[in-house]
Amino acid sequence: MGRKILLITGVAAAAAAITGASVATAGTAPGDDQPLTGSALQQAGDAAIARTGPGTVISAETDNDPNTSYEVNVQLNNGNRVEVELDSSFRVVSEGRDDDSGQPLSAADRDRAGQAALANVGKGRIGDVETENEGGAAYEAEIILDDGSEVDVELGADFQVLRTGAPERD
């Protein structure tokens, strides 16, 4: 009987370990927008600060973008905020001004960029519109589709569409 209990206990412990590992992996997998902790937070923060220069990491999370795994927001010592996107190996994919920093967006430019993005997508409603400072884009507009998914559209300074992302759920 002692061997039987030991065997059952061992199987139960193994099942719990496998289930726990699956839950932990599923809960923090890139694409789930989960806050980073531990070594992942340290690695992502170090990579972002190495790219941006002196500052403080104010948030870091997994990213639901198919091209990036992590998103880190850094408050620079000069007060500006920078968003750094990293791949699964903590290499910088892109960086740009965060929503709360940089040049203010006028109501006219916000409307013009939003309308150009909406015309490009063809349906939905205009969500966030912000200035952009990467890949030649001057603006990024979010179009929210009827099913709740979002399409990001990058526009040049002349409001011409440069890139249109695939629909994503936030």
Side-chain angles (χ1 to χ4, degrees):
M1 181 160 161
R3 255 178 71 176
K4 190 175 183 181
I5 291 174
L6 184 60
L7 179 61
I8 292 170
T9 304
V11 170
I18 291 169
T19 303
S22 297
V23 170
T25 301
T28 59
D32 289 344
D33 285 342
Q34 297 293 317
L36 296 181
T37 60
S39 66
L41 173 60
Q42 185 66 47
Q43 286 180 284
D46 289 349
I49 295 291
R51 178 60 167 255
T52 64
T56 304
V57 172
I58 55 174
S59 69
E61 63 186 17
T62 59
D63 194 0
N64 66 357
D65 187 308
N67 300 317
T68 59
S69 296
Y70 306 104
E71 180 179 295
V72 181
N73 291 293
V74 177
Q75 175 88 39
L76 300 176
N77 289 347
N78 67 9
N80 291 336
R81 289 188 181 181
V82 178
E83 178 181 281
V84 180
E85 293 180 330
L86 308 166
D87 68 12
S88 61
S89 298
F90 301 97
R91 288 185 296 249
V92 175
V93 174
S94 67
E95 76 174 280
R97 283 189 297 238
D98 192 15
D99 303 345
D100 298 331
S101 67
Q103 298 175 335
L105 184 61
S106 72
D109 285 350
R110 180 182 313 275
D111 185 55
R112 193 163 171 201
Q115 292 299 326
L118 182 60
N120 176 260
V121 173
K123 59 183 175 181
R125 63 182 169 81
I126 300 169
D128 292 335
V129 178
E130 55 197 34
T131 57
E132 183 65 53
N133 190 23
E134 64 180 70
Y139 306 98
E140 181 178 89
E142 173 186 86
I143 302 300
I144 303 167
L145 302 177
D146 293 338
D147 67 359
S149 62
E150 301 170 357
V151 176
D152 289 331
V153 179
E154 294 182 3
L155 303 111
D158 58 358
F159 301 99
Q160 294 299 309
V161 173
L162 302 175
R163 286 173 290 284
T164 302
E168 295 180 358
R169 290 222 175 255
D170 204 18

